[in-house]
Amino acid sequence: MKKSGFTVMSRLIGLVKPLSGYMVLAVGLGVLGHLCATGITVLGGFGILQILGLSAPLTLGGVFALLAVAAVLRGLLRYGEQACNHFIAFKLLALLRDRVFTALRRLCPAKLEGKDRGNLISLITSDIELLEVFYAHTISPICIAVLFCLGVGVFLGSYHILLGLYALMAYLLVGVVIPLATSKLSRDRGLRFRDQSGDLSAFVLDSLRGLPEIQQYGRGEARLQEMERRTAALSQVEKAMKAAAGGNAAVTGAVILLLDLGMLLISSQLLGFSGSLIATLTLMGSFGPVVALAALGATLQSTFAAGNRVLSLLEESPVVEEITGKPPVEFSGATAKNVTFSYENEEILRDFSLEIPKNTIVGITGRSGSGKSTLLKLFMRFWQTGSGQVAIGETSVEDINTKNLRNMESFVTQTTHLFHDTIANNLKIAKPDATEGELIAACKKASIHDFIMTLPKGYDTQVGELGDSLSGGERQRLGLARAFLHDAPFLLLDEPTSNLDSLNEGVILKSLHQSCRDKTLILVSHRKSTMGIAQKVCSVENGRVS
């Protein structure tokens, strides 16, 4: 949901609270730095007055001494301000990434099943990175501009109150009115740019993963044309944003020139030559902080759009909340009682009941889409039932601590995800402190140990991104090895032998039958041979046991 720029800004500013000390320091250094910069211009005016033989508060020697001091201080203070701002920005970007990953963990798997991976990658990387502009170049510059402009207004007001009021009006025009007008003219281009950028990332990622199919069916040219069309559309939005930024800079420069001329005319009527010179030079040299704000009018559109996308993800409610604080539960069998479940408006299970006694192997068959895999996800509590109850023993999974439930269950899905790491580290996801002997034992049960030992580095072999260096059957057996290593009392296996030849299937089925005599298995498969080890087989048709 799109939020207003003010809402996004207030939420992002709220994250600065732990680093408020650094922010105060950055603002203080920034104000002093800009005072030094403007002071250089004013001191130059005093020097001109001395050279012309007119009255000035400083001697020419004093002017040059203070110019040197102000110039050095300006550089040091600017460095300190930027160092504080970027320290805050990078700390907060790290905090945001941590919160985003925490949110993704909370939302998965239910809320992430339909999301584009490329879009999520764009959000995690470029959207969060874009917020650096807000934290390093927006918050403290706004505070600096307000304090600095008030100070300069008071200084000019000491010459004549109308000059002080004129200066404040000029700052408001350049630092507030122009940025707001630019932002309004930009409309929602920033949000459209971020959304289209995320969509393009998703499309490119999808194309890279599907290259073999694209080449096989000769769809490369069509895919390339679609990519070029999306790139061109994104370029048009970016072009409009750049044009708005350029127009903003041109208007700001022109307005500043007119305001300086206005100060010259007004001050010459109210003051003598000396006062008019100092007042005009002061205004000319004091637009730095508000010019920075004027430039934000166009760039903040993209920043707020990125912030909107990040905050929307952080605020998204999960389908299933993590459960804590409940008494521990021991596995003693599982049941599904009168379970009804739907994906949005599509009913998958209807009044479904199944009893799974402890230490038994239950086979489930049925056509694709009948709800077999969904049932396993309900036992894992990835989703919540619409009605009915899924229970471990006599306790509903809704009343079992999430960590407790995960420790009782091992879930092997139809597709095994492997990380870009070694085989050993991929297996240790199931048990981080596993010994080498435990890894080998689990892999022998999964009929994958002999293959691993043929690799140059054995268990230290890198599997490549998404396990692309391995075949589908090898990835599936590593998934089974993970389940054996986890050593949970309740195994949920979804098509565990679909990618295996009959020889390896036989080895694994024998291993399951022998090593799982003290465990409970749900075995989902289309293969009749796989059902051979099941002590009880049920068929799911139209969301019910038939």
Side-chain angles (χ1 to χ4, degrees), residues 34-46:
H34 281 292
L35 287 174
C36 287
T38 303
I40 291 172
T41 306
V42 175
L43 287 170
F46 290 149

Side-chain angles (χ1 to χ4, degrees), residues 46 49-50 54-59 63 159 278:
F46 290 149
L49 293 178
Q50 279 286 357
L54 300 175
S55 174
L58 294 170
T59 63
V63 167
Y159 283 84
I278 298 301

Side-chain angles (χ1 to χ4, degrees), residues 328-407:
V329 173
E330 295 288 335
F331 183 80
S332 58
T335 55
K337 299 177 182 177
N338 308 116
V339 171
T340 297
F341 176 80
S342 300
Y343 288 116
E344 296 181 352
N345 296 323
E346 182 185 2
E347 188 177 68
I348 305 298
L349 297 172
R350 183 174 73 256
D351 198 28
F352 181 94
S353 295
L354 178 66
E355 185 175 352
I356 305 163
K358 186 177 181 181
N359 299 336
T360 60
I361 300 176
V362 176
I364 301 177
T365 63
R367 61 178 178 79
S368 297
S370 60
K372 306 183 301 298
S373 299
T374 299
L375 178 64
L376 301 189
K377 292 176 182 178
L378 292 175
F379 275 114
M380 289 294 296
R381 199 175 167 268
F382 289 166
W383 296 86
Q384 288 180 318
T385 61
S387 62
Q389 184 187 69
V390 174
I392 301 297
E394 298 298 322
T395 308
S396 168
V397 292
E398 302 296 331
D399 296 319
I400 301 176
N401 293 330
T402 302
K403 186 176 181 180
N404 185 189
L405 185 66
R406 298 286 182 268
N407 288 335

Side-chain angles (χ1 to χ4, degrees), residues 495-516:
E495 299 285 359
T497 60
S498 60
N499 292 318
L500 304 181
D501 55 46
S502 56
L503 178 62
N504 279 313
E505 180 191 26
V507 172
I508 287 173
L509 291 177
K510 182 180 178 181
S511 184
L512 284 171
H513 189 259
Q514 290 179 345
S515 61
C516 297

